[in-house]
Amino acid sequence: MKNKFILLLVSAFLISCDSKLAPVRKDAIKPTAVTEPLPHDTDDPSIWIHPTDPSKSIIVGTDKDTDGALYAFDLNGKIITKSETLKRPNNVDIAYGLIVNGKKIDVAVTTERETNKIRVFSLPDLKPIDNGGISVFDGESLRDPMGVALYTRPSDHAIFAIVGRKSGTSGSYLWQYQLSDIGNGFVGGKVVRKFGAYSGKKEIEAIAVDNELGMVYYCDEQFGIRKYVADPESKQKDVELAVFGKGDFKADNEGIAIYKKTATTGYILVSNQQANTFMVYPREGANGDPNKYPLLAEIPTSTIECDGADVTNVNLGGAYKNGLFVAMSNGMTFHYYSWDSVQKRIDAQVKK
């Protein structure tokens, strides 16, 4: 009955979408769960792992509207809590162990586009700890924050927010902020870096950080995926290390998720938004070159026009023993997939 209900939801969302959109392919991976629909417009999810019981982990997702919010879902897709009202939250990311009032707090950070801020919330309760928000892109005529990804530096566990916007100047499109305790239980942010080449073709929204390898990837839409080091103090902080995925996408290259098979290997998955598929690249590079990213596979999913995605390799129990992949879909929902179903499709294409 549960699987039939999921398929009915997917079918309903497809029928309700613009007929110009690509249909979900017949061979698309079926979701193990679809979240309860949000009031307005889903955009981006992030996975928070419960520290003692992974089966109690949650998915935090954005509802993108003038009276939107962050919502938390359980592993069955049920809404369990929400944040205060936010002015068009766009993307969201999660980090662990930010020191506030001498205590380690896990946080979700989202962009609040209509106020030109990033917002910081404690987890799992989604309570604000930012004294109303951290202003971003100050002094710029082009602001409109959209994408965000969090980097935790291994050497000192400092946490940084890398923020993208609707439009910007090539070379300083992304701004990086160090998050820290500013007293009275609040978190603030200080600009420590401005970087990022931009083609000018569309926009930069999807950003993902690989903490273990110390790299940041972002989608220069309709151009390719760009790679830089994540540490703002690195000697290579202004060096673009790679551009990949050029020519692989129907139109927009969007949400990015990084699956870690080992400390250094795995996959980078990028939404082929208008094709309703995900393109898969080797996390570690290829042929001994860490900056070479050949296309390994294309995975059709049940999502429609996917903007954002996240993935974990942690055993969450049930269908998610080797991890969970979550992706946004039109229809105001997020779709959950067993990682095993994704890995099976990758293996089938890599072996050809």
Side-chain angles (χ1 to χ4, degrees):
M1 182 63 70
K2 181 179 178 182
N3 288 337
K4 289 182 179 179
F5 176 69
I6 291 171
L7 291 175
L8 285 171
L9 277 175
V10 173
S11 298
F13 299 154
L14 179 57
I15 292 170
S16 68
C17 288
D18 191 318
S19 60
K20 294 180 181 179
L21 300 181
V24 172
R25 285 171 37 172
K26 292 181 180 180
D27 61 341
I29 297 175
K30 302 298 188 296
T32 55
V34 173
T35 63
E36 292 181 306
L38 295 183
H40 304 295
D41 180 20
T42 51
D43 195 86
D44 188 49
S46 192
I47 303 168
W48 176 73
I49 306 300
H50 191 282
T52 60
D53 185 352
S55 69
K56 294 180 180 178
S57 299
I58 63 175
I59 310 301
V60 177
T62 55
D63 186 34
K64 187 174 63 174
D65 198 85
T66 294
D67 60 343
L70 291 181
Y71 282 78
F73 304 88
D74 65 18
L75 295 184
N76 295 313
K78 182 179 179 180
I79 297 170
I80 54 177
T81 191
K82 62 173 287 191
S83 73
E84 65 183 26
T85 299
L86 298 171
K87 297 290 187 180
R88 197 174 176 84
N90 213 104
N91 283 27
V92 63
D93 201 10
I94 285 169
Y96 300 82
L98 181 65
I99 303 297
V100 183
N101 269 349
K103 298 180 180 179
K104 291 183 177 181
I105 297 177
D106 298 343
V107 294
V109 177
T110 186
T111 47
E112 190 174 34
R113 189 167 166 189
E114 291 181 5
T115 65
N116 294 312
K117 294 177 180 178
I118 55 173
R119 301 298 312 276
V120 184
F121 295 85
S122 58
L123 289 169
D125 55 5
L126 289 180
K127 298 299 182 184
I129 55 170
D130 56 10
N131 198 26
I134 300 166
S135 181
V136 292
F137 302 113
D138 289 346
E140 295 282 291
S141 59
L142 301 173
R143 299 180 74 182
D144 289 334
M146 295 178 69
V148 65
L150 302 183
Y151 166 56
T152 301
R153 186 162 55 196
S155 61
D156 59 1
H157 306 292
I159 295 176
F160 304 86
I162 298 172
V163 188
R165 43 185 161 161
K166 181 67 175 177
S167 188
T169 303
S170 183
S172 60
Y173 196 108
L174 304 173
W175 286 23
Q176 187 166 356
Y177 296 80
Q178 183 166 357
L179 304 181
S180 61
D181 185 345
I182 58 172
N184 298 318
F186 294 126
V187 174
K190 177 184 177 182
V191 180
V192 293
R193 180 190 186 194
K194 301 174 184 179
F195 72 103
Y198 171 49
S199 69
K201 288 195 171 184
K202 193 177 180 185
E203 63 196 28
I204 294 168
E205 180 179 3
I207 311 167
V209 171
D210 188 325
N211 282 321
E212 290 81 359
L213 296 185
M215 298 297 163
V216 56
Y217 303 88
Y218 65 88
C219 282
D220 187 340
E221 291 184 33
Q222 299 186 4
F223 179 78
I225 302 107
R226 298 183 186 269
K227 175 184 178 182
Y228 284 77
V229 296
D231 189 346
E233 297 180 6
S234 169
K235 293 180 179 179
Q236 290 186 299
K237 64 182 181 180
D238 297 319
V239 178
E240 183 172 84
L241 300 176
V243 181
F244 60 98
K246 296 176 71 172
D248 291 345
F249 294 81
K250 181 176 180 180
D252 296 344
N253 46 308
E254 264 278 10
I256 310 172
I258 302 172
Y259 184 83
K260 299 163 185 176
K261 297 190 74 172
T262 69
T264 58
T265 66
Y267 306 105
I268 301 171
L269 299 95
V270 183
S271 173
N272 189 0
Q273 189 177 26
Q274 284 73 31
N276 300 327
T277 64
F278 275 82
M279 314 305 271
V280 183
Y281 303 90
R283 177 186 174 216
E284 63 273 22
N287 300 323
D289 184 348
N291 296 317
K292 184 177 181 180
Y293 295 95
L295 180 64
L296 297 178
E298 180 175 7
I299 311 299
T301 62
S302 59
T303 57
I304 301 166
E305 289 258 306
C306 179
D307 279 318
D310 197 12
V311 68
T312 181
N313 64 1
V314 174
N315 180 357
L316 304 181
Y320 309 119
K321 291 183 179 180
N322 288 305
L324 177 150
F325 177 59
V326 56
M328 162 269 170
S329 179
N330 276 5
M332 301 171 291
T333 62
F334 299 97
H335 292 200
Y336 298 178
Y337 304 91
S338 164
W339 176 257
D340 289 339
S341 65
V342 179
Q343 186 68 62
K344 182 178 179 181
R345 297 298 183 92
I346 294 173
D347 291 342
Q349 295 185 48
V350 170
K351 291 176 181 178
K352 285 184 178 180

